[in-house]
Amino acid sequence: MTHSHQIVTNRPDTFAKIISEQDFELLYIQHAPFLLRVCNSLCKDEMLAADMVQEVFCAIWDRRLTLPVISSWENYLFRCAKYQYYNHQRSLSRFRSVQSEILNDSDPSDDSTRLHIEYVDLNHNINELVKQLPVQCRKVYRLSRGQGLNSAEISRELSLSEKTVKNHLTRALGFLRRHIEAILALFLMAA
């Protein structure tokens, strides 16, 4: 796949590295449609595919200064998409296993206890998922959801641009949504 624009950096020894926001945006414009097609072909779910693309590009942005020289972005992004898909499947499998255990162990005659246990379990799972977020992403999420700060307030608190704060929130919420979908489906079925 040939593109009319190439990512250009200030140093010739880091040709494929992402240095500036402008370079990153160019990378996104050039390769996001390709990555979205790959992700969609893997998961067969447009929303999940879009979340996977977001996760991949957020990870690239977070690691932009430490990425090795990448000669083929298509190959690199294809591997990233496969990793995201397998990671999602692994997490979904773990949650389905937990759901199955909850359903098998629950006593249908005592709904209040069961609902309380499921609520506590859901909160525990969400807290464990939040711990898996990258440090800065986790800080932004906790300031937003835990303390109720808006993007501008978080931006000032952490000395980040509002765009970066919004990217972190999008990444955190996408990650959490994907990983708790199975648990929420369980609650809806039980209700």
Side-chain angles (χ1 to χ4, degrees):
M1 182 178 224
T2 307
H3 298 287
S4 59
H5 298 91
Q6 291 294 322
I7 297 170
V8 179
T9 61
N10 296 332
R11 299 182 314 219
D13 62 318
T14 59
F15 172 71
K17 285 189 177 186
I18 307 301
I19 299 300
S20 69
E21 251 183 72
Q22 183 180 13
D23 289 337
F24 181 77
E25 288 176 18
L26 182 58
L27 174 73
Y28 184 86
I29 290 166
Q30 288 177 348
H31 297 286
F34 164 78
L35 184 58
L36 183 61
R37 284 191 306 275
V38 171
C39 291
N40 199 26
S41 72
L42 289 169
C43 68
K44 310 290 190 255
D45 178 334
E46 289 180 18
M47 287 185 65
L48 177 58
D51 285 343
M52 289 169 61
V53 169
Q54 178 74 18
E55 283 288 321
V56 169
F57 279 103
C58 284
I60 290 171
W61 177 254
D62 289 345
R63 296 178 33 230
R64 69 191 177 279
L65 299 177
T66 60
L67 282 173
V69 174
I70 298 170
S71 59
S72 170
W73 279 104
E74 285 86 3
N75 289 340
Y76 180 78
L77 293 171
F78 182 78
R79 287 191 315 270
C80 289
K82 283 180 18 182
Y83 172 78
Q84 284 292 326
Y85 176 71
Y86 294 137
N87 192 34
H88 171 74
Q89 291 301 105
R90 210 172 21 254
S91 296
L92 190 58
S93 176
R94 273 184 271 159
F95 281 117
R96 285 182 179 155
S97 175
V98 169
Q99 287 175 352
S100 178
E101 287 177 31
I102 291 172
L103 284 175
N104 291 334
D105 293 343
S106 66
D107 178 7
S109 65
D110 187 3
D111 276 349
S112 64
T113 302
R114 181 180 56 83
L115 290 175
H116 176 73
I117 290 170
E118 289 173 351
Y119 174 78
V120 169
D121 189 44
L122 177 62
N123 275 335
H124 173 75
N125 285 325
I126 291 172
N127 289 331
E128 289 302 310
L129 288 170
V130 170
K131 289 178 186 175
Q132 294 176 28
L133 293 170
V135 175
Q136 197 73 311
C137 190
R138 184 171 53 239
K139 286 179 186 176
V140 169
Y141 175 82
R142 286 184 173 154
L143 288 172
S144 171
R145 295 309 187 255
Q147 296 183 22
L149 300 181
N150 64 33
S151 296
E153 293 166 329
I154 296 170
S155 173
R156 284 190 301 275
E157 176 81 19
L158 298 177
S159 300
L160 299 171
S161 72
E162 280 192 59
K163 183 176 181 176
T164 300
V165 168
K166 289 176 183 177
N167 286 340
H168 281 305
L169 277 175
T170 300
R171 181 179 188 185
L173 294 174
F175 175 81
L176 292 173
R177 185 184 63 77
R178 282 193 312 278
H179 288 87
I180 63 173
E181 280 178 341
I183 291 174
L184 293 177
L186 173 67
F187 287 117
L188 292 175
M189 289 187 321

